[in-house]
PDB file of all heavy atoms in Angstrom:
ATOM      1  N   ARG A 155     149.886  48.684 146.866  1.00 43.00           N
ATOM      2  CA  ARG A 155     150.776  48.966 145.757  1.00 43.00           C
ATOM      3  C   ARG A 155     151.427  50.315 145.915  1.00 43.00           C
ATOM      4  O   ARG A 155     152.583  50.500 145.611  1.00 43.00           O
ATOM      5  CB  ARG A 155     149.972  48.971 144.454  1.00 43.00           C
ATOM      6  CG  ARG A 155     149.454  47.626 144.109  1.00 43.00           C
ATOM      7  CD  ARG A 155     148.671  47.694 142.840  1.00 43.00           C
ATOM      8  NE  ARG A 155     149.493  48.153 141.754  1.00 43.00           N
ATOM      9  CZ  ARG A 155     149.264  47.848 140.501  1.00 43.00           C
ATOM     10  NH1 ARG A 155     148.269  47.078 140.199  1.00 43.00           N
ATOM     11  NH2 ARG A 155     150.024  48.304 139.551  1.00 43.00           N
ATOM     12  N   THR A 291     153.676  43.542 137.244  1.00 96.00           N
ATOM     13  CA  THR A 291     152.492  44.394 137.342  1.00 96.00           C
ATOM     14  C   THR A 291     152.805  45.775 136.774  1.00 96.00           C
ATOM     15  O   THR A 291     153.776  46.411 137.171  1.00 96.00           O
ATOM     16  CB  THR A 291     152.047  44.533 138.811  1.00 96.00           C
ATOM     17  OG1 THR A 291     151.829  43.231 139.363  1.00 96.00           O
ATOM     18  CG2 THR A 291     150.773  45.349 138.910  1.00 96.00           C
ATOM     19  N   LEU A 292     151.979  46.228 135.848  1.00 98.00           N
ATOM     20  CA  LEU A 292     152.208  47.515 135.197  1.00 98.00           C
ATOM     21  C   LEU A 292     151.790  48.651 136.120  1.00 98.00           C
ATOM     22  O   LEU A 292     150.627  48.778 136.501  1.00 98.00           O
ATOM     23  CB  LEU A 292     151.432  47.577 133.874  1.00 98.00           C
ATOM     24  CG  LEU A 292     151.856  46.527 132.835  1.00 98.00           C
ATOM     25  CD1 LEU A 292     150.943  46.602 131.610  1.00 98.00           C
ATOM     26  CD2 LEU A 292     153.319  46.707 132.434  1.00 98.00           C
ATOM     27  N   VAL A 295     148.549  51.140 136.130  1.00 98.00           N
ATOM     28  CA  VAL A 295     147.498  50.620 135.256  1.00 98.00           C
ATOM     29  C   VAL A 295     146.539  49.855 136.161  1.00 98.00           C
ATOM     30  O   VAL A 295     146.910  48.798 136.698  1.00 98.00           O
ATOM     31  CB  VAL A 295     148.072  49.681 134.175  1.00 98.00           C
ATOM     32  CG1 VAL A 295     146.942  49.056 133.358  1.00 98.00           C
ATOM     33  CG2 VAL A 295     149.022  50.461 133.266  1.00 98.00           C
ATOM     34  N   PRO A 296     145.329  50.373 136.402  1.00 97.00           N
ATOM     35  CA  PRO A 296     144.428  49.766 137.392  1.00 97.00           C
ATOM     36  C   PRO A 296     144.100  48.314 137.064  1.00 97.00           C
ATOM     37  O   PRO A 296     143.721  47.993 135.935  1.00 97.00           O
ATOM     38  CB  PRO A 296     143.166  50.652 137.295  1.00 97.00           C
ATOM     39  CG  PRO A 296     143.656  51.953 136.737  1.00 97.00           C
ATOM     40  CD  PRO A 296     144.741  51.572 135.782  1.00 97.00           C
ATOM     41  N   GLU A 297     144.287  47.450 138.026  1.00 95.00           N
ATOM     42  CA  GLU A 297     144.021  46.034 137.818  1.00 95.00           C
ATOM     43  C   GLU A 297     142.561  45.789 137.437  1.00 95.00           C
ATOM     44  O   GLU A 297     142.264  44.914 136.615  1.00 95.00           O
ATOM     45  CB  GLU A 297     144.366  45.250 139.088  1.00 95.00           C
ATOM     46  CG  GLU A 297     145.850  45.101 139.349  1.00 95.00           C
ATOM     47  CD  GLU A 297     146.552  44.295 138.275  1.00 95.00           C
ATOM     48  OE1 GLU A 297     146.061  43.199 137.932  1.00 95.00           O
ATOM     49  OE2 GLU A 297     147.568  44.764 137.757  1.00 95.00           O
ATOM     50  N   GLU A 298     141.638  46.582 138.027  1.00 96.00           N
ATOM     51  CA  GLU A 298     140.223  46.347 137.796  1.00 96.00           C
ATOM     52  C   GLU A 298     139.784  46.678 136.376  1.00 96.00           C
ATOM     53  O   GLU A 298     138.754  46.197 135.903  1.00 96.00           O
ATOM     54  CB  GLU A 298     139.377  47.143 138.799  1.00 96.00           C
ATOM     55  CG  GLU A 298     139.560  48.655 138.727  1.00 96.00           C
ATOM     56  CD  GLU A 298     140.695  49.160 139.589  1.00 96.00           C
ATOM     57  OE1 GLU A 298     141.552  48.340 139.989  1.00 96.00           O
ATOM     58  OE2 GLU A 298     140.720  50.373 139.870  1.00 96.00           O
ATOM     59  N   SER A 299     140.559  47.501 135.685  1.00 96.00           N
ATOM     60  CA  SER A 299     140.198  47.854 134.306  1.00 96.00           C
ATOM     61  C   SER A 299     141.276  47.450 133.306  1.00 96.00           C
ATOM     62  O   SER A 299     141.239  47.860 132.144  1.00 96.00           O
ATOM     63  CB  SER A 299     139.925  49.362 134.200  1.00 96.00           C
ATOM     64  OG  SER A 299     141.016  50.121 134.702  1.00 96.00           O
ATOM     65  N   LYS A 300     142.210  46.626 133.738  1.00 96.00           N
ATOM     66  CA  LYS A 300     143.338  46.248 132.885  1.00 96.00           C
ATOM     67  C   LYS A 300     142.882  45.549 131.606  1.00 96.00           C
ATOM     68  O   LYS A 300     143.397  45.818 130.507  1.00 96.00           O
ATOM     69  CB  LYS A 300     144.295  45.345 133.665  1.00 96.00           C
ATOM     70  CG  LYS A 300     145.524  44.924 132.879  1.00 96.00           C
ATOM     71  CD  LYS A 300     146.444  44.044 133.726  1.00 96.00           C
ATOM     72  CE  LYS A 300     147.647  43.565 132.930  1.00 96.00           C
ATOM     73  NZ  LYS A 300     148.531  42.701 133.763  1.00 96.00           N
ATOM     74  N   LYS A 301     141.901  44.659 131.716  1.00 96.00           N
ATOM     75  CA  LYS A 301     141.434  43.930 130.536  1.00 96.00           C
ATOM     76  C   LYS A 301     140.872  44.880 129.486  1.00 96.00           C
ATOM     77  O   LYS A 301     141.120  44.723 128.282  1.00 96.00           O
ATOM     78  CB  LYS A 301     140.390  42.887 130.936  1.00 96.00           C
ATOM     79  CG  LYS A 301     140.962  41.699 131.691  1.00 96.00           C
ATOM     80  CD  LYS A 301     139.890  40.652 131.963  1.00 96.00           C
ATOM     81  CE  LYS A 301     140.474  39.442 132.693  1.00 96.00           C
ATOM     82  NZ  LYS A 301     139.433  38.409 132.967  1.00 96.00           N
TER      83      LYS A 301
END
Side-chain angles (χ1 to χ4, degrees):
R155 293 180 60 153
T291 304
L292 298 175
V295 175
E297 287 296 311
E298 61 272 17
S299 54
K300 182 179 177 180
K301 288 184 179 180

